Amino acid sequence: MQFKPADWPRKLRSQEWFGGISRDQIYHRGWMKNQGLPHDLFDGRPVIGILNTWSELTPCNAHLDVIAERVKHGVYEAGGFPVEVPVFSTAESSFRPTAMMFRNLAAMATEEAIRGQPIDGCVLLVGCDKTTPSLLMGAASTDIPSIIVTGGPMLNGYFRGERVGSGTHLWKFSEAVKAGTMKADEFLEAEASMSRSPGSCNTMGTASSMASMAEALGMALSGNAAIPAVDSRRRVMAQLSGRRIVQMVKDDLKPSDIMTREAFENAIRTNGAIGGSTNAVVHLLAIAGRVGIDLSLDDWDRCGRDVATIVNLMPSGKYLMEDFYYAGGLPVVLKRLGEAELLHKDALTVSGSSIWDEVKDAVNYNEDVILPVTQALTKNGGIAVLKGNLAPKGAVIKPSAASPELLKHRGRAVVFEDIDDYKKKINDEALDIDETCVMVLKNCGPKGYPGMAEVGNMGLPPKLLRRGITDMVRISDARMSGTAYGTVILHVSPEAAAGGPLAAVRNGDFIDIDVESRRLHLEISDSELSARLAQWMRPCAEIGSGYAWLHHQHVQGADTGADLDFLRGNRGAAVARDSH
Ligand code: FES
């Protein structure tokens, strides 16, 4: 931690727009005054953009208007000038073909919203899965001082006296309906019980994982991730973040000062300790790419290997985010990592202090929610990165959400050429499949779907569900919801639609998986594999227009974060300078 605050006062970026009496500056300032703003707000104080992903069609973020008001209070209190700016919002629950296709669009929109406007610092208001990485990516690309405030998780869900988790129980109940052990009207009754309040998914799904990643990276104030959306302390957090960003602008404390390699390694280990989402892999790789840090899948495997999963939350465990908050939240986990020498303690945070200073006094109030290491859910809880002739650039699996007996497995492939093929065949009673088979789904990667949808945890055939089978090995180039579970191998790279070896798998091939030795092997000879790939033809129709075309042309593989090639790199200072 070697950060030296900039001198203050000094001329800020926003003064290029507001700070003089040229015709253009009067134009910029005068039109702002139609909102009833006093002249002294333009006197050189930090202009803080509150970048808000509020949308009524992003239900997890639909309360961010309230949070934004509290951020404004904080900014004013600290002597800044807050301006609320809407940015592109993507709902995991309803955006088609998949919210992931629009993560990069939202990141680009965020970057341009900052670049083209008189903003000196940003408060990033996010919540639902993709909104967190997209705004972090955009802010990283501009590299002006930024702090993240997440909307917080929903309250615990309860159905007939039992905790029910967002997503996790959706998968469980829908399988139960297919298996005939739950009635459709009970499913309907359970639906509302899962979503009792504003906020993001209450499991350790992708939204909670990414909120935790933001905090572990140092980009949020300590304790931010777990505070429930409707808890009054969420609004306090927003107000304090508003105060803090003003000082960050004065100090010129930028994302690149905070999001260092050490910070990313802290985040990777944190993801292992919380049993976090596999989606965090693609998002952290993409964010790192925006600050010019050469993070790789191998870093995920290396850093996550020795981390025990100690947070007993669904989908890996039994509790929910509200319980996690009452137990002490992420600071307790970070403290544990620090005590185990698995944390770069000097990593800088938005507070201006080191991460260790922020968490060293944290207290665990519930050892059944945040477990002692001796009772960890999984001893090696990180994301495992598998490689082999089926995934030369890697594939990922979350061992803590898998069935231990399937982590070493050899089985006959049952192949689905794409998601439509899967939907057509899966309910067919004549499908030649049993529980020892390996289900293989192709063409669901970044280019293939397009957008890399969360379909990797494909449901099992009803005929096996009715026999009580609850898990099988599944392999794809898709992603999986962070709320899901199972022995699911994801993000196979290169993807099938880019001509990766996954495209060559045929029904009846045997596949060998060994998570312990990180092996993923298709049992055919090298020459047979080459011959099959030589015959490979691009399966999906060309995408003709619009953002989908841009995405398809430029999206990179999951192994580097599925970002658009022209947005990667440490462009920050140049991006901010381009504005004037
Ligand atoms: Fe928005 Fe899960 S669907 S956080």
Side-chain angles (χ1 to χ4, degrees):
M1 187 180 56
Q2 293 292 337
F3 176 72
K4 184 174 174 304
D7 292 333
W8 182 260
R10 66 180 189 285
K11 187 178 174 189
L12 293 175
R13 182 174 182 263
S14 60
Q15 285 293 293
E16 298 288 335
W17 281 264
F18 295 147
I21 55 165
S22 72
R23 185 202 62 186
D24 283 353
Q25 286 161 327
I26 288 173
Y27 181 30
H28 300 318
R29 195 172 53 229
W31 266 246
M32 286 290 285
K33 287 183 177 175
N34 76 359
Q35 299 176 85
L37 301 172
H39 184 75
D40 60 8
L41 283 180
F42 303 93
D43 62 2
R45 68 189 71 193
V47 177
I48 305 301
I50 302 170
L51 303 190
N52 195 348
T53 53
W54 170 91
S55 164
E56 287 183 339
L57 277 175
T58 306
C60 313
N61 297 16
H63 61 301
L64 291 183
D65 50 346
V66 178
I67 303 291
E69 286 306 314
R70 298 308 290 262
V71 173
K72 284 182 198 169
H73 281 299
V75 173
Y76 278 127
E77 285 166 356
F81 172 15
V83 285
E84 193 175 345
V85 179
V87 288
F88 192 84
S89 190
T90 48
E92 196 60 37
S93 51
S94 56
F95 224 110
R96 292 183 178 175
T98 163
M100 178 62 179
M101 192 170 94
F102 302 96
R103 182 200 66 179
N104 300 335
L105 178 62
M108 194 159 53
T110 300
E111 175 181 334
E112 299 305 332
I114 299 168
R115 180 214 296 265
Q117 304 194 82
I119 292 173
D120 301 310
C122 297
V123 180
L124 313 174
L125 295 191
V126 296
C128 196
D129 297 15
K130 303 300 170 291
T131 57
T132 304
S134 59
L135 267 63
L136 273 174
M137 289 162 73
S141 285
T142 58
D143 204 25
I144 70 168
S146 300
I147 190 169
I148 208 161
V149 179
T150 52
M154 291 186 258
L155 295 175
N156 283 356
Y158 289 98
F159 177 61
R160 298 184 176 174
E162 301 288 326
R163 279 180 181 78
V164 288
S166 323
T168 302
H169 276 82
L170 182 66
W171 320 128
K172 281 201 168 116
F173 290 156
S174 80
E175 300 276 271
V177 171
K178 278 194 222 161
T181 55
M182 184 180 206
K183 295 198 179 76
D185 58 338
E186 291 175 310
F187 195 11
L188 199 60
E189 193 188 330
E191 176 188 300
S193 69
M194 280 187 251
S195 306
R196 289 178 50 228
S197 78
S200 50
C201 289
N202 55 22
T203 44
M204 189 51 84
T206 304
S208 301
S209 300
M210 289 311 300
S212 302
M213 294 298 89
E215 189 172 329
L217 281 170
M219 289 298 291
L221 288 181
S222 188
N224 169 77
I227 308 170
V230 294
D231 194 302
S232 54
R233 287 162 286 189
R234 171 61 55 194
R235 281 169 279 155
V236 173
M237 175 59 71
Q239 191 159 338
L240 294 177
S241 301
R243 288 182 192 169
R244 178 62 199 155
I245 187 65
V246 176
Q247 189 60 44
M248 286 174 68
V249 170
K250 291 178 178 174
D251 292 346
D252 200 24
L253 177 54
K254 303 181 294 300
S256 60
D257 297 315
I258 296 166
M259 291 197 283
T260 58
R261 167 164 276 279
E262 288 72 24
F264 281 98
E265 292 187 354
N266 283 345
I268 291 172
R269 292 193 172 106
T270 301
N271 198 57
I274 63 177
S277 167
T278 47
N279 284 326
V281 178
V282 276
H283 298 326
L284 253 57
L285 291 173
I287 298 163
R290 299 295 186 101
V291 280
I293 290 178
D294 188 21
L295 199 71
S296 71
L297 276 178
D298 292 335
D299 290 317
W300 272 90
D301 199 82
R302 177 180 57 82
C303 294
R305 230 173 229 266
D306 301 326
V307 180
T309 301
I310 55 171
V311 176
N312 190 8
L313 257 60
M314 298 179 203
S316 301
K318 66 178 182 182
Y319 291 103
L320 294 167
M321 286 298 284
E322 193 182 340
D323 306 303
F324 185 42
Y325 178 55
Y326 301 147
L330 198 70
V332 176
V333 178
L334 293 168
K335 182 182 179 186
R336 285 276 179 79
L337 288 172
E339 288 167 343
E341 301 302 329
L342 291 170
L343 188 78
H344 296 290
K345 293 178 178 173
D346 285 344
L348 187 64
T349 75
V350 286
S351 70
S353 302
S354 73
I355 197 155
W356 184 245
D357 279 345
E358 293 293 338
V359 304
K360 64 181 190 306
D361 297 323
V363 176
N364 186 356
Y365 296 107
N366 189 335
E367 292 223 328
D368 198 37
V369 175
I370 306 174
L371 302 162
V373 175
T374 48
Q375 291 165 31
L377 292 180
T378 315
K379 214 165 118 245
N380 305 111
I383 303 288
V385 177
L386 312 184
K387 287 192 178 168
N389 66 349
L390 192 48
K393 292 189 174 177
V396 304
I397 183 171
K398 180 176 169 182
S400 64
S403 302
E405 68 277 11
L406 289 175
L407 292 175
K408 185 171 169 54
H409 185 77
R410 179 178 180 271
R412 171 171 60 86
V414 175
V415 176
F416 306 100
E417 292 298 327
D418 56 32
I419 193 66
D420 292 327
D421 188 41
Y422 164 78
K423 286 178 183 166
K424 203 163 69 195
K425 291 177 179 165
I426 193 65
N427 295 324
D428 185 349
E429 295 290 315
L431 182 67
D432 182 14
I433 191 168
D434 63 42
E435 62 271 33
T436 66
C437 290
V438 174
M439 297 168 69
V440 176
L441 176 62
K442 303 179 184 175
N443 296 309
C444 291
K447 283 183 190 290
Y449 194 85
M452 203 182 179
E454 290 186 335
V455 294
N457 58 316
M458 58 194 124
L460 306 188
K463 68 177 181 180
L464 298 185
L465 288 170
R466 286 197 300 274
R467 284 185 37 224
I469 306 299
T470 55
D471 194 13
M472 289 171 64
V473 175
R474 288 157 272 181
I475 301 176
S476 74
D477 45 14
R479 295 178 302 116
M480 167 173 93
S481 165
T483 61
Y485 49 87
T487 311
V488 186
I489 297 168
L490 302 152
H491 310 187
V492 170
S493 299
E495 63 176 302
L502 187 67
V505 183
R506 293 179 183 168
N507 277 320
D509 289 342
F510 274 80
I511 297 177
D512 183 27
I513 299 125
D514 185 351
V515 173
E516 176 62 32
S517 61
R518 304 301 198 247
R519 175 180 155 89
L520 179 58
H521 185 71
L522 177 65
E523 293 186 358
I524 61 173
S525 67
D526 292 348
S527 57
E528 171 66 11
L529 181 57
S530 300
R532 289 188 193 180
L533 288 175
Q535 292 169 4
W536 174 78
M537 289 173 58
R538 191 173 300 280
C540 51
E542 283 301 323
I543 295 167
S545 65
Y547 172 72
W549 175 86
L550 183 74
H551 177 274
H552 190 261
Q553 293 295 312
H554 291 281
V555 73
Q556 299 182 311
D559 57 304
T560 56
D563 200 357
L564 301 184
D565 51 14
F566 58 89
L567 292 174
R568 278 175 74 84
N570 182 12
R571 298 174 295 116
V575 168
R577 225 178 15 246
D578 279 354
S579 57
H580 42 82

